Amino acid sequence: MTVEPTEVEAAAARTIFGPRLDLAHAYAQALATAGVERGLIGPREAERIWERHLLNCAVLQELVPADVELGDVGSGAGLPGIPVAIARPDLTVYLIEPMLRRTTWLREIVTELGLENVEIIRGKAHIVAESGQHFDVVTSRAVAALPTLAEWSMPLVRKDGQLLAIKGDTAQEELVAAAEVLTALGAASSDVVRCGESVLDTPTTAVRIVAGRQGQLPKKKAASAAGKKAPGSGAKSRAGSSGSGSRAGAKRASSSPGRRR
């Protein structure tokens, strides 16, 4: 099965992915074939790979500063992390995913595409947070309702960093529902933003939360973590085993966890 974008989608893809458009095509093809066969996306999604998955996710990069580390929580088939990494080779993108079959897929596709700016961490978000690792930007899509997602993801965000969660029409409602949780987690500000308005017929809606302090585990999880050895080196060794390039590894080595570069 060959998946080709419509004329409108192709024009948007050229703008978003630029000289790395071939990588986006290869990723779309992999999602529509092996991704469906292995249960990473539904069979009905194959016909709307470009609009619903690649372009919808890639435009999130408009909100991401240059040359930063980005953690993609609950990455699944690599969404939104891989489209963002293709569009923005200046970023170091960590795909955070607990399920073995999904991380196996992610390692395979990252190697196949030769994405030297992508690494993989197999683990749940709170386990990565227990290791002391933090990111300038943390992204997610279709992982959980915002109050729960914030509890999982905000501990991973560096001070003044951002949590960017792709949401739909309920974004504002979820933001209101999460207000108390966000205050407790040290959020400095939050808003609903739309990305890709100049290139997409239907822009992507996202919630943006700026961290007012270095990410910290909620008290219950922190107390639980204090009683056992933090797996900091383990999380990083798993990331390094993804087959990603030396450039990303060098970036990580030069930036100690929990300290903004």
Side-chain angles (χ1 to χ4, degrees), residues 69-89:
E69 293 182 325
L70 181 151
D72 186 34
V73 169
S75 197
L79 300 164
I82 288 180
V84 170
I86 292 173
R88 291 284 301 279

Side-chain angles (χ1 to χ4, degrees), residues 223-243:
S224 173
K228 57 187 177 181
K229 184 178 179 181
S233 59
K236 289 216 167 186
S237 64
R238 283 194 295 274
S241 68
S242 66

Side-chain angles (χ1 to χ4, degrees), residues 10 30 32 34 52 54 60 78 84 89 101 109 113 123 146 158 176 187 191 215:
R52 185 175 174 85
L54 268 76
L60 198 65
V84 170
R101 70 181 180 87
I109 193 63
L113 297 177
L146 190 59
R158 291 182 175 129
V176 172
D191 60 345

Side-chain angles (χ1 to χ4, degrees), residues 209-244:
I209 301 163
V210 177
R213 69 185 187 208
Q214 186 85 327
Q216 302 171 15
L217 284 169
K219 290 182 179 179
K220 288 184 180 179
K221 290 189 181 296
S224 173
K228 57 187 177 181
K229 184 178 179 181
S233 59
K236 289 216 167 186
S237 64
R238 283 194 295 274
S241 68
S242 66
S244 54

Side-chain angles (χ1 to χ4, degrees), residues 150-192:
E151 288 191 344
W152 292 347
S153 299
M154 286 297 287
L156 293 168
V157 184
R158 291 182 175 129
K159 186 179 185 301
D160 299 324
Q162 302 178 81
L163 169 62
L164 302 175
I166 294 178
K167 294 289 182 179
D169 295 337
T170 63
Q172 189 61 51
E173 295 174 17
E174 290 193 49
L175 188 54
V176 172
E180 187 175 337
V181 171
L182 294 178
T183 298
L185 291 169
S189 65
S190 59
D191 60 345
V192 174

